[in-house]
Amino acid sequence: MVMLSPPTDALTDGHGRRIDYLRLSVTDRCDLRCRYCMAEDMTFLPRSAVLSIEEMGDLAARFVARGIRRIRLTGGEPLVRRGIDTLAMRLGALIGHGLDELTLTTNAMRLADHAPMLADAGVRRINVSLDTLDAAAFRNITRVGDLAIALRGIEAARAAGLAVKINMVALTGLNEDQLLPMLDYCAANSFDLTLIETMPLGEVAEDRSDHYIPLHQFIAPLRAARNIFPIDKRTGGPARYFAVEDSPVTLGLITPLSDNFCATCNRIRLTVEGRIYMCLGQDDHIDLRAALRDGGDVDGLIDAALAGKPRAHDFHIERKSRPAVARHMSATGG
Ligand code: SAM
Ligand code: SF4
């Protein structure tokens, strides 16, 4: 295990943006097959291409030593990765030693088993992807998922003391009727809710534009029923936040297509292959795996990645157009 000294310098990209947030994709595998994310017959990376848990821990610690203050574990589904408990414990031990926060994004299918471990590791809040509260629609969107298992996982997280934010992808024809029920569910459980537009990442064996809906359209029924007000909450991330009349829920909107959010981007992504992707919506990357395994200049490569971080993504979602990038969200780490 590589031991590293406390942070020395802040990471800043070539456009002057301070980079202090790392999304760490711990696997490209998943136990669901959400229609907007993956094809049903996805091919996953061979195990030889994938970083070990120890290598991931070493790289993450190196990023913390370079000024990363927040890490989110993601995937694929992070809780299907064997050794995720070891990694969470190792990264959790960095909290207060350079790292401010360790979080996780999950589909909740295995959360009932892992929630206490996550809390022990120092995780205080998690994002859970839940696009509908209708069991048949949940099965349809995820192709294989069981809503009851996800809801039990979320309940276990709450019982373990983890704050939960629900992420809901807006999908016309699949979950348009679910916004008000989801808002009520979140209010009843003291969860926040963030809505996300579908992004054109990776082939999914159907035309994503069939289900794309801009968020201003998706939330029109909510606006008709209740007032919503912009609030001055900032997380350095892509969401804009709103208060909803008569509801305790903070509503986040992520609109990569209808309203570009790149100017304040504070993050980079490290894949399970050891590649740094500077932008979710571009193909440019720098490979750290060989340098890590051969004792190369990992810090020099991190600097090169930062210098090359693009100003903005390049998403379009015209009908039948090819995805903006061939890589799936599950490979880069959503
Ligand atoms: N499996 C975990 C989950 O679903 O929460 C973590 C990884 S998943 C790739 C992270 C987030 O990306 C989820 O909230 C998911 O809904 C979202 N996502 C996946 N593909 C997307 C796409 N093409 N457009 C928009 N959001 C997407
Ligand atoms: Fe799996 Fe998350 Fe992609 Fe759904 S969105 S297929 S749960 S990685």
CSV table of all heavy atoms in Angstrom, one decimal, residues 30 38 126 155 235 307 320:
chain,number,residue,atom,x,y,z
A,30,CYS,N,-23.0,-4.4,-13.7
A,30,CYS,CA,-24.2,-4.0,-13.0
A,30,CYS,C,-25.2,-5.2,-12.9
A,30,CYS,O,-25.2,-6.0,-13.8
A,30,CYS,CB,-24.9,-2.8,-13.7
A,30,CYS,SG,-26.2,-2.1,-12.7
A,38,MET,N,-27.7,1.0,-20.6
A,38,MET,CA,-27.0,-0.1,-21.1
A,38,MET,C,-27.9,-0.9,-22.1
A,38,MET,O,-29.1,-0.9,-22.0
A,38,MET,CB,-26.7,-1.2,-20.0
A,38,MET,CG,-25.8,-0.8,-19.0
A,38,MET,SD,-25.4,-2.2,-18.0
A,38,MET,CE,-24.3,-1.4,-16.8
A,126,ILE,N,-25.8,9.3,0.4
A,126,ILE,CA,-25.7,8.5,-0.8
A,126,ILE,C,-26.7,9.0,-1.8
A,126,ILE,O,-27.7,9.6,-1.4
A,126,ILE,CB,-25.9,7.0,-0.6
A,126,ILE,CG1,-27.3,6.7,0.1
A,126,ILE,CG2,-24.8,6.4,0.3
A,126,ILE,CD1,-27.7,5.3,0.1
A,155,GLU,N,-34.6,1.8,2.6
A,155,GLU,CA,-35.0,1.9,4.0
A,155,GLU,C,-33.8,1.5,4.9
A,155,GLU,O,-33.6,2.1,6.0
A,155,GLU,CB,-36.2,0.9,4.2
A,155,GLU,CG,-36.9,0.9,5.5
A,155,GLU,CD,-37.1,2.4,6.1
A,155,GLU,OE1,-37.6,3.2,5.3
A,155,GLU,OE2,-36.8,2.6,7.3
A,235,THR,N,-23.5,23.3,-5.1
A,235,THR,CA,-22.7,22.1,-4.6
A,235,THR,C,-21.4,22.0,-5.5
A,235,THR,O,-20.7,21.1,-5.3
A,235,THR,CB,-23.5,20.8,-4.8
A,235,THR,OG1,-23.9,20.7,-6.1
A,235,THR,CG2,-24.7,20.8,-3.9
A,307,ALA,N,-4.6,19.7,-17.6
A,307,ALA,CA,-4.3,20.7,-18.6
A,307,ALA,C,-5.2,20.5,-19.8
A,307,ALA,O,-5.6,21.4,-20.5
A,307,ALA,CB,-2.9,20.6,-19.0
A,320,LYS,N,-32.3,9.4,-33.9
A,320,LYS,CA,-31.5,8.4,-34.6
A,320,LYS,C,-30.0,8.8,-34.8
A,320,LYS,O,-29.3,8.2,-35.5
A,320,LYS,CB,-32.0,8.1,-36.1
A,320,LYS,CG,-33.5,7.8,-36.1
A,320,LYS,CD,-33.7,6.3,-35.7
A,320,LYS,CE,-35.2,6.0,-35.8
A,320,LYS,NZ,-35.6,5.0,-34.8
